[in-house]
């Protein structure tokens, strides 16, 4: 790698002498690429040459580029694994046994009927209006104050009666306008009249091309789906609360019904983020923020969401799977002593091409989550987590019952279906059409897709991350998600976790995830999102770790040393983490 850096520096200087303006643009694009953790489009590290570059220098540059490619191939072949060498869910073949419920596993379908013939009938239950459960819009205890027309008296009646009346009226229409949707929603949310805006939804319906504009006939179908809630979900849904390991299994049809209610903003007590609000520590679930403040981002989000409802309300389509949401808590007694860990590096596949949600399908796919699950999916956010939730909208229902994740917690979602494809990222994000899932299903009729939501630490100042308390926190957070719960588990698909808006150092986050993967003895597929520089550096760094037989404990000690150096210098130390570890493992090498 040292020779590569010398060659790179020499060629950079040569190119600067030819066209400083083009170099400035290249450097700006490279900086932008390296600073984003999830960018799906970025400048190539082999940018086209300036028109004024001499043929001799062009030949020299080409030789250098070929040398870099050979280095990548040599390192990859000697240490890194091909993607095909990593395990996926279908290969694990763990026996799940019959689907059962327990004190920690709530199942919303009738398990006896399911285990006999796999029919997905809702589990009978009772109405529960309690702080430990989702307060449902169809609960008879959800009351609404109404005024008498003649005597100006006030009465309380079940809110669902008003909701049902509005949904029923809409469902009977052959087509409904956004104004119809707005009027219905405000009938049972009257205090938000004049405060909620539906401009994004209205503009969306107006601007989408007529060949794709099926939305007016779709609104009544979504209303009918929402109205079926009392028949679809009969058992109280427990909250996945902080500090409690627990799981919930629902059918895809039940999730669609719940999301239809989120679309029509029926969930009570979920319309404010006030610190004193009952659900302050939960993400929003009603779609009000998605319907307001028009932007091109909202347009593409709504295209994905509406396609999901288009599929789920199509009588010819049959989504008969289950989805499980598991909250895991890492107990103090289970936290590793990282300093004494003797495990060596597991398999690694690293690439600048492909993505977690495509090439990583079948592995444990890491969601670069916010502590409130789904982040800004119902707002303007469009980074990795939000895109993942738009392609797999069933994930959004986790926002209904998942409390904000603590530092020692994660959420694992098994069985969600991918409905859409996409291109771009952030402002360049576009819905790219339907996706047909061809994954196999497991014994519990769940698509063999497993998603792990873990939230990294946000750093306002990047220098703050070089602190062992923060490093250990992220090690434990990743360990909570990566640790196995079955004899055979799939390997892990991840990337620059927490390195975009959260300002994490990609090298540091890569080392943390390598350490945890080694500890739990699972392979790692690391997608750098078109960052070819990190791809090469990580390949070479991993090759060194394998060659030297470096243990997790040794790396932890080197992280302590690196953080101490950074703190002693006030963050002004210019050496990067990979170089620091390389020089520590091979003291005889030059500082280059």
């Amino acid at each position: 790698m040292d020779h590569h850096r010398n060659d790179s520096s020499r060629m950079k200087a040569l190119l600067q002498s030819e066209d400083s303006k083009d170099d400035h643009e290249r450097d700006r694009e490279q900086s932008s690429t390296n600073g984003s953790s999830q960018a799906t489009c970025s400048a190539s590290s082999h940018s086209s040459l300036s028109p004024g570059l001499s043929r001799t220098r062009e030949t020299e540059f080409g030789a250098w580029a070929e040398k870099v490619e050979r280095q990548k191939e040599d390192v990859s072949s000697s240490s890194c694994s091909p993607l095909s060498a990593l395990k996926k869910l279908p290969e694990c073949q763990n026996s799940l046994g019959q689907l059962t419920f327990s004190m920690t596993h709530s199942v919303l379908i009738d398990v006896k009927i399911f285990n006999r013939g796999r029919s997905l009938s809702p589990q009978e239950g009772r109405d529960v209006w309690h702080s430990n459960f989702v307060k449902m819009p169809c609960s008879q205890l959800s009351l609404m104050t109404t005024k008498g027309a003649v005597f100006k008296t006030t009465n309380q009646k079940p809110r669902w009666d008003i909701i049902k009346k509005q949904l029923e009226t809409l469902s009977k229409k052959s087509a409904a306008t956004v104004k119809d949707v707005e009027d219905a929603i405000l009938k049972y949310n009257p205090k938000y009249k004049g405060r909620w805006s539906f401009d994004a939804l209205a503009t969306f319906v107006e601007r989408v091309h007529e060949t794709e504009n099926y939305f007016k006939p779709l609104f009544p179908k979504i209303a009918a789906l929402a109205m079926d809630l009392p028949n679809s979900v009969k058992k109280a849904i427990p909250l996945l609360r902080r500090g409690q390991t627990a799981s919930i299994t629902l059918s895809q049809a039940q999730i669609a019904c719940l999301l239809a209610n989120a679309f029509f903003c029926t969930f009570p007590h979920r319309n404010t983020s006030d610190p004193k609000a009952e659900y302050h520590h939960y993400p929003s679930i009603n779609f009000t923020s998605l319907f307001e403040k028009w932007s091109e981002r909202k347009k593409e989000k709504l295209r994905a969401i509406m396609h999901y409802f288009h599929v789920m309300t199509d009588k010819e389509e049959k989504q008969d799977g289950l989805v499980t949401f598991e909250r895991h808590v890492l107990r103090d007694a289970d936290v590793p002593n990282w300093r004494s860990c003797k495990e060596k590096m597991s398999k690694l596949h690293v690439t600048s091409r492909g993505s977690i949600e495509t090439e990583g399908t079948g592995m444990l796919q890491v969601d670069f989550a916010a502590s409130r699950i789904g982040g800004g999916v119902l707002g303007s956010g469009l980074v990795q987590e939000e895109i993942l939730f738009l392609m797999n909208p069933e994930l959004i229902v986790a926002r209904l019952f998942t409390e904000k994740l603590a530092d020692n917690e994660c959420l694992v979602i098994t069985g969600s279906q991918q409905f859409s494809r996409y291109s771009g990222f952030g402002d360049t994000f576009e819905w790219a059409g339907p996706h047909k899932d061809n994954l196999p299903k497991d014994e519990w009729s769940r698509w063999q897709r497993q998603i792990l939501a873990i939230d990294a630490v946000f750093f306002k100042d990047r220098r703050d991350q070089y602190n062992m308390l923060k490093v250990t926190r992220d090690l434990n957070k990743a360990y909570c998600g990566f640790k196995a719960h079955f004899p055979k588990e799939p390997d892990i698909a991840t990337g620059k976790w927490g390195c975009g808006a959260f300002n994490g150092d990609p090298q540091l986050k890569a080392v943390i995830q390598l350490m945890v993967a080694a500890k739990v003895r699972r392979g790692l597929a690391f997608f750098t999102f078109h960052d070819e520089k990190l791809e090469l550096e990580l390949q070479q760094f991993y090759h060194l770790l394998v060659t030297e037989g470096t243990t997790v404990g040794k790396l932890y000690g080197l992280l302590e040393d690196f953080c101490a150096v950074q703190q002693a210098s006030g963050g002004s130390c210019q050496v990067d983490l990979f170089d620091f570890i390389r020089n520590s493992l091979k003291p005889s090498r030059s500082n280059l």
Side-chain angles (χ1 to χ4, degrees), residues 255-256 259 283-285 305 308 323-325 357 365-367 373-375 377-378 384-402 411-419 449-453:
I255 292 172
L259 290 179
S284 61
I285 184 62
I305 294 294
Y308 164 74
V323 185
T324 300
F325 301 80
E357 65 273 14
Q365 299 172 261
V366 178
D367 162 21
I373 293 299
V377 65
L378 298 182
Q384 189 252 11
E385 180 174 40
E386 288 86 355
I387 292 172
L388 185 63
F389 275 53
L390 291 169
M391 298 304 99
N392 302 261
E394 290 164 336
L395 303 177
I396 297 173
V397 82
R399 297 168 66 87
L400 178 63
F401 43 72
T402 308
L411 183 73
V412 178
I413 304 168
T414 305
S416 67
Q417 181 175 345
Q418 183 178 341
F419 287 82
R449 175 178 289 106
Q450 195 168 66
I451 292 167
L452 164 66

Side-chain angles (χ1 to χ4, degrees), residues 7-178:
D7 288 343
S8 178
S9 299
R10 180 162 58 86
M11 288 308 303
K12 184 176 180 181
L14 181 133
L15 288 171
Q16 284 174 338
S17 68
E18 292 295 332
D19 194 331
S20 60
K21 182 178 179 180
D22 281 0
D23 279 341
H24 172 74
E25 285 301 306
R26 253 195 313 273
D27 292 341
R28 182 179 61 78
E29 290 175 5
Q30 185 69 36
S31 175
S32 174
T33 300
N34 293 343
S36 170
S37 68
Q38 297 99 358
T40 56
C41 296
S42 63
S44 169
S45 61
H46 304 313
S47 303
S48 59
L49 296 177
S50 163
L53 192 62
S54 70
R55 184 169 300 278
T56 301
R57 289 174 177 174
E58 182 177 351
T59 302
E60 189 172 1
F61 182 88
W64 168 75
E66 290 177 7
K67 180 178 179 181
V68 171
E69 288 303 317
R70 285 196 303 272
Q71 286 179 319
K72 289 167 67 173
E73 291 172 4
D74 291 344
V75 172
S76 180
S77 62
S78 62
S79 294
C80 291
S81 301
L83 191 61
S84 59
L86 299 184
K87 292 198 301 291
K88 297 189 175 183
L89 276 168
E91 302 164 41
C92 295
Q93 297 180 336
N94 291 304
S95 177
L96 298 174
Q98 289 196 325
L99 177 63
T100 59
F101 60 86
S102 67
M103 291 293 290
T104 59
H105 183 196
S106 295
V107 182
L108 271 64
I109 64 157
D110 190 314
V111 296
K112 291 182 180 178
I113 295 176
F114 175 80
N115 287 328
R116 284 201 302 265
R118 295 189 177 274
S119 172
L120 302 184
S121 301
Q123 175 64 47
E124 296 292 335
R126 61 186 178 88
D127 183 11
V128 178
W129 190 262
H130 189 275
S131 59
N132 288 336
F133 294 84
V134 173
K135 291 185 174 177
M136 297 287 277
C138 54
S139 170
Q140 292 301 301
L141 295 174
S142 178
L143 303 176
M144 184 172 173
T145 301
T146 60
K147 291 184 179 181
V150 179
F151 299 105
K152 296 183 179 180
T153 57
T154 58
N155 302 295
Q156 282 195 323
K157 63 185 299 184
R159 185 167 172 264
W160 184 249
D161 291 353
I162 302 169
I163 294 171
K164 183 179 178 181
K165 180 180 178 181
Q166 297 303 315
L167 295 178
E168 191 170 28
T169 300
L170 270 178
S171 69
K172 291 178 179 178
K173 293 177 177 286
S174 58
T177 66
V178 173

Side-chain angles (χ1 to χ4, degrees), residues 437-453:
D437 238 336
N438 294 314
L439 290 175
K441 290 184 178 178
D442 65 18
E443 294 173 73
W444 291 358
S445 194
R446 301 179 302 183
W447 295 97
Q448 294 199 354
R449 175 178 289 106
Q450 195 168 66
I451 292 167
L452 164 66

